[in-house]
Amino acid sequence: MNVNDAKQIYIGDVGPGVKKRDPILIADSVTRTFGGNTAVNVEHVEIPRNMITALIGPNGAGKTTFFNLLTGFDKPNSGNWTYDGQKLAGVPAFKVARRGMVRTFQLTKSLALLSVMENMRLGATKQKGENIFRAMLPFLWRDQEKANTAKAMELLGRFKLDTKKDDYAASLSGGQRKLLEMARALMSDPDLVMLDEPMAGVNPALTQSLLGHILGLKDQGMTVLFVEHDMHMVQTIADWVIVMAEGKIVAEGYPSVVMQDQAVIDAYLGAHHDVDLGTLTGQLAVAEDIDPHLVEELREEVSADPELAEELAEEQNRTEQ
Amino acid sequence: MAPLSATAAPLTAASAVEAPASASVRSATIDPASATESIGVWVRLDSNKAAVAGVKVTVTGSGGFSSDVVSGADGKVTVGLPGAGDYTVKLDETSVPAGDGVPRAGTNPRTVTVAANSTGVPAYFLLTTATGGSSTSAPGSTTSPGSSSSDASSGPSLFDLLVPRLASGLIFGLLLALACIGVSLIYGTTGLNNFAHGELVTFGGLMGWVLAGPLGLPGPIAVIGALVLGGVMGYVQDLGLWRPLRKKGVALIPLMIVSVGLSLALRYTFQVIFGPGTLVAPNDTSAAVNWGPVHLRSSDLIGAIVCIVLLLLVAFVLLRTRIGKATRAVSDNKALAAASGINVERVIRLVWIGGGALAGIAGALIGYYQTIRWDTGASILLLIFAAVTLGGLGTAFGALVGSIIIGLFIEVSTIWLPANLKFVAALVVLIIILLIRPQGILGKRDRIG
Amino acid sequence: MDIVLETTDLVAGYLPGVNILNGCNVYVERGELVGIIGPNGAGKSTLLKAIFGQVNIRSGTVSLSGEEITGLKADKLVTKGVGFVPQSNNVFPSLTIEENLQMGTYQKPKTYKERIEFVTNLFPELGKRLKQRAGSLSGGERQMVAMSRALMMNPSLLLLDEPSAGLSPVRQDETFINVAQINRAGVSVMIVEQNARRALQICDRGYVLDQGRDAYSGTGRSLMSDPKVIELYLGTLATDHTATTSTPTQGG
Amino acid sequence: MDFTFIPLAFGQLLSPQTIGFALAALGLAVHFGFGGLLNFGQAGFMSVGGYFFAITAVKFGFPFWLSLVAAIIGAVIFAFILGIPTLRLRADYLSIVTIAAAEIVRYTVQTPQIAPFTGGSDGINGSSAAFDALNPIPPGRYGIAPLLYSASDLWIIICGWGAVLVLGLLVWQLMRSPWGRVIKGIREDEDAVRSLGKNVYAYKMQALILGGVLGALGAVVAIIPTSLQPENFGTQTTFFLFTIILLGGATTVLGPIIGSIIFWVVLSLSDGILSILVTNHIVPLSTVQQGPIRFIIVGVALMLLVIFRPQGILGKKRETYFSV
Amino acid sequence: GSTTSSSSSAGTGLTLNIGTILPQTGSLATLGPPAIEAVNLAAADINAANVGITVNVTQKDSGDTSTNIATQSVTSLLASNVSAIIGAESSSVSLTVIDQIAKAGVVEISPANTSPTFSTYNSNNFYWRTAPSDVLQGRVLGQKVLKDGATNVSILWQNDSYGQGLHDNVTKAITDGGGTIVADTSFDPKATSFSAEVGATLAPKPDAVVVISFDQIKQIVPEFKTAGFDFTKFYGSDGNYGVIDPTYTNVDIAGAQFTNPGVKASDDFVSKLAAQTSKDGAKALSVYSYAPESYDAVVLLALAALQGKATDGTTLKNNLQKVSEGGTKATSFADAAKLIAAGTDVDYDGLSGPISFAANGDPQQAYISIYKYGTGNTNAYESQEFGDLSK
Ligand SMILES: Nc1ncnc2c1ncn2[C@@H]1O[C@H](COP(=O)(O)OP(=O)(O)OP(=O)(O)O)[C@@H](O)[C@H]1O
Ligand SMILES: Nc1ncnc2c1ncn2[C@@H]1O[C@H](COP(=O)(O)OP(=O)(O)OP(=O)(O)O)[C@@H](O)[C@H]1O
Ligand SMILES: CC(C)C[C@H](N)C(=O)O
Ligand SMILES: [Mg+2]
Ligand SMILES: [Mg+2]
């Protein structure tokens, strides 16, 4: 919890849309509807600079859509936002990225018939050789290319993809694609990196080591905004959490605070997400915060099956002791 | 060229030249029957083509030739000439019977070029009473293509122009739609842009022709035969070529090229077998219905009805039946379809059979609507693709909508555009619509990210 | 032992000359819930796909209740009562949710009514938007559709590839409970998960796959506490966290 | 038996037609093989280039170099007209739009109303005068029988292959540069490339222009020894170009060039062999049937080639495992 | 192509290698066979005459303009060292290859090109033709229409070199004679539907309709019939003459008239052609358009070679005019060859008419025949007009 920090993140009362001391991104009344369904309806939100902010919320809350809007991949019905003080609404996606705001995709987009290394190199910005005329004169860009390659190698090592560097990206597994996507985004040294569920499908040990890397990048001045359903990860590295539901920002705050928020727990986390599901009691307990219907079902199941009933009784005995 | 003065000036360039020449040649008559060159003058009324007798006409030529003649009872008179060359023909307007009017503006006097050995070179005068308003029809004026240049009063109204075109556009659109569905479904289920689909259409047309023509079966049986044989052809193609290729895991673009190769091979095979000419199945080509300016043969009407019925049937199958839904599922995601228990190969085979059958019947109907050639299908392939794309790739209904739009635009555009640009009109419409709706009319966009 | 599914020395791969599975031996007993975990790229998805006839098997066999099914086509397996939820591309984007679910009962359309009730109970969100095209769904919603489609089949053996990925925490838990429930109802389940601790909690047995081989196996719980597995694969993040829920994170 | 067809077929190795198709195919490889732009209207680029060249040369009497520049400018303009609205379309939609655009060009130039300018459906003859005027080779017949070339043949062959060499190297260099990497990235997934801060639209446009200019230059080489005929730039030409690049390998630089050579040599050989068979009554066909048969052979050859070597002669086998 | 070499002729004679590019495929393919067979026949006749010249023929396809076959055929012919090429039939195809042939110093002689474009085309005199320019046919056709009493005429024409040229000349003849073109509609040679075009053509209710097309006429006439058109007001030309025949039963075009350059093929010629055709194993001919012109083209080339005592392209082009005009008339190859051997200036008048070349390679005089259809789509020779283009 960053309450102890010398610098406080927000100004005024904590709550949805609270002002930040040093915001990098400010969005105002951004809405997007599909047919009759409002996917995003954000009145005001600020993303603190040089912090790691987690954007959480139930499935279909509008997180990805919000990302799409902010980065110019989708057009809002209304709304305005500024990045680093500059207006960003209506700016095409590639320009958004050039200004230092780089994103990844929830459903990965690897460049299948490019090698992993080429994927990485493509991530680098300000490449001289990307100009068609200079491209014809290799001596103009050869050094830069070398430097990019070295940097890419280093990142790939961290993401455990170094052995795959010459393979086509098409031959990566689901998790590896996620990793490549994130590594590629980091090639551009973004000021603000927006990760859409970066660790979904990545194995826990690797996730853990990557978190360290992200923290390191933050130390170098980078701002991170990420969507994630893995609460361990959110609690480990997020400085700030924003909760979205049904298109709106419904809560904001320090991770530990937000995660104790009853509304958030009800709608999203569940009170018992650390309870062991290996036992019927555990399942019942968890089911309780999800859906009374599920509880009922479980109970029915138990009562219909004497073996299960016995098991449940035993378990309850054990916990009571 | 001699100046064509509209006024009845007595002197033309030619007659001016003639003045200093010897007078002895004047009015010399050459026997038109024996002359190797002659001019045939014919004076008639513009309105009803009736002959006008007793009109004086003077023909003058170089070397001082001049001949005065008077039109006979049939309005005609032939003038024998001394040789080839330019002659000036002038009608004496004072000799025209009262009320018969004057020659069309700009036609009197007129220079007529007579080539060697030409007899009876026409030099006609059409007398009209409509004086002032004769702004049009100067000889040699280039007329706007595709439309009449004669007086506005006799010109057809926009309605008369539009309605027949709407009718034929609609019929063609429906035929096109039948041909399109196969393309759309095959693209949908297998991702293949089948450039050999035109040949399925041609095949159907040729089979229809064989059945109705050389074999002399009645038309409806020929059409049904084309449907069946088209289905068989689709099946054979899938079995013999596409399925093995799918098994081999050949990618889509190479597959597309295979279809280009197949198209070439089939098309020219048809040519070897059926010859390079246009084939015509026996058909009653007189109009069965005449709705104002619209003339339709019975085969046109029946064809249109068959199209509509079949299209409705296809719609029903796709939307309502299990196999129809399976078709769409396969087109979305083959692996997952298989994982849902759908026999993907079977669905694809059905699509080939169905697509082939529809293409076959479309070909046979096109054979009746137009004619059939070894390359009929290939020549409409682009339209098929355009229609499928316009509607939204892989959506069967899109193909229908697209086809009808294309069919209509091809025909209707000829009201304003030169006919050879009619495809251009349809293609421009295609481009414009795609700019507004890049996913096609009925296509849907998926989300990003 | 009543073995429902068994692979023996399975070797399979995509590119010629490159084997992804290198002699993989796993089995599922009737009514068992087996978890498969392993680092990214270990070959977990490949294993499921190989079992399901979607990857070339180069040697080794797969058998279903004693009958060899090596390389059998997917739709045949469905007939035999195997259900599969792939890791990616697991919905029909241009079909509506309803149609997606109908595809689940493709072989037994009669059961649709009954199953749809079951599934919409499970994911009420889906029930509310049956007419939405799956292609426009959010990542998590897709995952629900994918899972539901497989459940529509009412299979006797269910292969799940990371069913919880992209789901919100409550939905994840719910999914696991449901899987356990389904399993208790008699369905044998093989589940690949990166959310490993949760998965191992409900599993009877688990395998750790590494480089195309079954590197470790054991009961769910024994794997969870095996230090080698922790080091190689599980990491300590989640455990750390359980132990120190209220420790403030130290930000930079 | 007359076996001159064999050396003759190999004469296609050098023919301006081969060169023209090689250049146009190289352009198509830039569009499609490298950039993923499914351009089915390459014939349109050729047509536009040819017309700009021929009209300026014949109707305005431009010197050769100026006409050449005009052809390039023509292709650039066409690329802009085509690209500005359509580069946003998905690949398969783009293919239909480009095919339509090429057909529009073909129909439009034939409109009788503008025939004084475009030559209508006759096309334009005699655009090579300025080029031949630059010919330093003394008149005469060169080469070994039966491959004899006139001085002007030789001149265009030398210049044409020179152009292929220079432009081939240029494309090769571009494709291994970061610019080429972006182009290839766009082929795979343009949203991903966009998210990395590349102006996808501009890159696509550059690729469209580059490939289009190559097409235009190909047309110039092809029409110099013969004449400009609008019908020569129909969809069949584009299909042949696709055949060529797939034959050689779409994602290589040498592929389109080799593909073009093979295509024309094989076409010519098939004709020769057929002639022998027909003339000697080995196959029961009349001369009239021989015409279509070679297309049947081409079609079947094309299918067999794709079936047995889907990646093309120079392409990497590996790529075909990850289907497009 | 088939090589009709054969006959070990008079020992030390000349050998003339000629190629053809005639339509085996494409939209004129129906009119290819008569010319192809006539060329074979002429070569056989020449070789049989045994007068010191052997003709070898290589036949190649010209395709139509939508394929590049003509260029390729020519390339291959040039490489096999032909000194003359017969073809193409379509004017547009000829235009594609004319420069290529001329640059190679080879004579191109077309039996069927009628587009006026060629009269002024600068080919260094390597281009010749035995069919008259459409200045003549256009005039005859236009005047015929007027003479039959029609003054408001619609023209429906195919937009290519041939169609354009004929259209221009028909239009000129009609407007010069005092008639009016009331609808002027062109169509793409590859069009597949003609309802809009026919609609536009008939909209102003013309007195007569002139249709200039190739085999598209098969699709055009049903549209006329459906619209209730009276076919006595229908005029066609060489491109579509003979396409409609008794096997075509859907529409009876009785009364329709067609012009066709050249004289009616003589019965003798027709039967010789039939014999040649069956010898070549080809399908029996149904039309004879441009067969006489093709025959004459071969003969003239052989005569020019005999006259110049060499078979290279330049010799041929320098002697073609000479053997075609001025001098003692001869009507068969054998007779003409004898005269040349005797050193007499010969004027070959062939099967197609009194061919006499102008300096530009055009025949100066020619007949245009007019054919009229009767019931059952039979057609009969009606009359012929003699035309002289020299003035
Ligand atoms: N193109 C679209 N058409 C229709 N509805 C859409 C479209 N895109 C998104 N939606 C809907 O908008 C809502 C928000 O989707 P979004 O992807 O932003 O959710 P999310 O918060 O990222 O969810 P998840 O955590 O599951 O990824 C969802 O209910 C989704 O179905
Ligand atoms: N289509 C493919 N072509 C070639 N190689 C592939 C393909 N798919 C996966 N691979 C390779 O096979 C190996 C195993 O992949 P697989 O998808 O089975 O991994 P996984 O264990 O499911 O990983 P994850 O947890 O990341 O999903 C990886 O090294 C990957 O690079
Ligand atoms: C065969 C003929 C109909 C050819 C036509 N006269 C032309 O010049 O194109
Ligand atoms: Mg999301
Ligand atoms: Mg996986």
Side-chain angles (χ1 to χ4, degrees), chain D residues 165-226:
Chain D
L165 186 73
V166 170
L167 294 169
L169 281 175
L170 180 92
V171 172
W172 179 71
Q173 176 54 42
L174 277 177
M175 286 310 158
R176 53 200 282 278
S177 75
W179 183 85
R181 182 160 62 224
V182 178
I183 294 294
K184 289 182 237 170
I186 290 171
R187 171 187 72 198
E188 301 302 327
D189 188 328
E190 55 179 90
D191 279 333
V193 175
R194 207 171 269 137
S195 77
L196 297 171
K198 323 287 178 201
N199 186 349
V200 168
Y201 194 65
Y203 279 101
K204 278 184 164 183
M205 187 62 90
Q206 289 166 12
L208 193 67
I209 290 174
L210 176 63
V213 167
L214 287 170
L217 294 177
V220 170
V221 177
I223 64 171
I224 277 183
T226 58

Side-chain angles (χ1 to χ4, degrees), chain A residues 75-94:
Chain A
K75 300 250 166 340
N77 295 70
S78 69
N80 256 308
W81 58 97
T82 59
Y83 168 73
D84 233 352
Q86 284 171 303
K87 205 170 155 291
L88 207 59
V91 174
F94 77 94

Side-chain angles (χ1 to χ4, degrees), chain C residues 157-229:
Chain C
L157 170 66
L158 191 53
L159 308 175
L160 299 173
D161 198 348
E162 305 202 19
S164 80
L167 292 180
S168 73
V170 270
R171 287 279 161 267
Q172 287 183 18
D173 289 349
E174 193 178 346
T175 305
F176 288 121
I177 294 176
N178 277 310
V179 170
Q181 227 183 333
I182 291 163
N183 174 244
R184 279 196 300 269
V187 179
S188 318
V189 181
M190 184 157 175
I191 180 170
V192 170
E193 258 304 333
Q194 288 298 359
N195 196 341
R197 278 169 199 284
R198 266 304 193 220
L200 292 179
Q201 282 171 359
I202 59 165
C203 285
D204 299 321
R205 236 162 17 91
Y207 291 95
V208 178
L209 228 60
D210 196 15
Q211 307 197 5
R213 277 202 188 80
D214 42 321
Y216 305 89
S217 69
T219 61
R221 255 153 244 284
S222 70
L223 286 178
M224 236 190 303
S225 51
D226 185 325
K228 282 217 81 139
V229 175

Side-chain angles (χ1 to χ4, degrees), chain A residues 164 170-176 201, chain C residues 14-15 20 39-46 87 162 194, chain D residues 322:
Chain A
K164 297 235 140 209
S171 69
L172 295 184
S173 75
Q176 289 169 331
Chain C
Y14 304 88
L15 301 181
I20 301 298
N40 295 118
K44 306 180 292 297
S45 303
T46 309
Q87 182 174 10
E162 305 202 19
Q194 288 298 359
Chain D
F322 309 97

